[in-house]
Amino acid sequence: MAVGPPLVYADQAYSIVKRRDSTGFSRDVCAILLIANITRCFFWLGERFEFALLVQSVLMILAQLALLYICIRYRPTDSPEAHSSTSTRPFGFWQWKLYSQYIEFLAALIIVLTIAVLIFGRMQWFIAGIGFIAMGLESTLPLPQLYSNYKHKSLYGFQTSTLIGWVGGDSFKTVYFFLQGSPLQFQVCAVFQLSVDFMIVAQRFIYGNSPTTYMPADDDLEEALRLAEE
């Protein structure tokens, strides 16, 4: 239960290093998992859910930090920061150029959560709130990948093993939460996340995993030509 979910991303990381290209894998997946699991660790301080789930969060944080580093090192040539272009996101969120910038953001998040817990940690509404935030964020995990697949009309670069891990892991997790009587936050968000997983499974059958030919803008031309040559 604790080790399985983080290991799901081992094959994805290996694939990126092997191809020297993180095209097809949404870096926002790392953002969601890092923020959600850091918040869930603070949730545990107020509501002591299963210790195995806490260990899982710690291991997932470490795994995503490593995967994020790999994604940045082998970022696609059409990524906004690769061309020093202006990001369309507020403050260029999660499209920064340096790995240290991501670490600084996560460190600031931990400081803010620490202060908040020290002030409001004895209030039940606050504990319940960060629980819903943590699990709600994690339940949106497949959404960036769902959008990326739709945008490129392909699952190229997204490992089938990762998808199988998502469906299998989330199915087991959903059943486990209901059988163990875990907090409501865990149950509701697990059902939603599993539903999105099956939508990605449908995309796998509809789009396949051939190299993308999607070229909506000039910035994508170089990347599309490179993929066509592989």
Side-chain angles (χ1 to χ4, degrees):
M1 183 65 182
V3 178
L7 286 179
V8 167
Y9 297 92
D11 188 47
Q12 184 68 57
Y14 173 76
S15 173
I16 293 173
V17 173
K18 183 179 179 180
R19 292 184 294 112
R20 304 181 69 85
D21 182 11
S22 62
T23 297
F25 181 75
S26 175
R27 200 186 317 160
D28 291 336
V29 169
C30 298
I32 292 172
L33 283 172
L34 284 168
I35 296 172
N37 282 281
I38 289 173
T39 307
R40 191 161 79 173
C41 289
F42 283 91
F43 178 46
W44 184 84
L45 296 176
E47 185 165 339
R48 301 300 173 88
F49 50 82
E50 293 89 338
F51 185 72
L53 296 177
L54 176 64
V55 174
Q56 179 193 102
S57 290
V58 174
L59 294 178
M60 184 62 79
I61 291 170
L62 296 176
Q64 293 305 311
L65 286 173
L67 182 57
L68 176 62
Y69 176 80
I70 292 172
C71 287
I72 293 173
R73 181 172 182 179
Y74 301 111
R75 61 165 56 94
T77 57
D78 64 342
S79 60
E81 64 274 24
H83 297 287
S84 301
S85 60
T86 302
S87 172
T88 57
R89 300 182 181 184
F91 306 105
F93 182 75
W94 218 254
Q95 291 182 342
W96 303 305
K97 188 172 183 179
L98 302 176
Y99 182 70
S100 60
Q101 293 175 285
Y102 296 84
I103 299 300
E104 289 171 1
F105 168 79
L106 294 173
L109 174 64
I110 292 173
I111 293 173
V112 170
L113 286 173
T114 300
I115 294 174
V117 168
L118 290 175
I119 297 175
F120 304 109
R122 295 182 181 276
M123 301 179 183
Q124 187 59 37
W125 62 267
F126 174 77
I127 298 301
I130 62 173
F132 271 112
I133 291 174
M135 300 310 300
L137 278 173
E138 186 170 346
S139 70
T140 67
L141 168 63
L143 291 179
Q145 192 63 51
L146 182 75
Y147 174 73
S148 177
N149 298 340
Y150 171 76
K151 176 182 176 182
H152 296 95
K153 299 296 186 292
S154 172
L155 272 71
Y156 174 76
F158 182 64
Q159 290 297 100
T160 302
S161 59
T162 301
L163 178 57
I164 293 174
W166 278 7
V167 174
D170 290 340
S171 297
F172 174 80
K173 181 173 66 177
T174 301
V175 174
Y176 178 85
F177 287 162
F178 278 93
L179 292 179
Q180 293 294 321
S182 298
L184 180 63
Q185 295 96 324
F186 287 82
Q187 298 175 359
V188 173
C189 295
V191 171
F192 174 79
Q193 187 171 350
L194 183 60
S195 300
V196 181
D197 288 344
F198 281 112
M199 293 176 67
I200 296 179
V201 171
Q203 287 183 322
R204 176 64 178 80
F205 287 102
I206 296 172
Y207 299 144
N209 62 347
S210 300
T212 178
T213 57
Y214 171 76
M215 295 182 293
D218 292 340
D219 289 343
D220 291 333
L221 180 59
E222 180 182 348
E223 175 67 5
L225 291 174
R226 185 185 62 76
L227 292 176
E229 293 173 354
E230 293 183 349

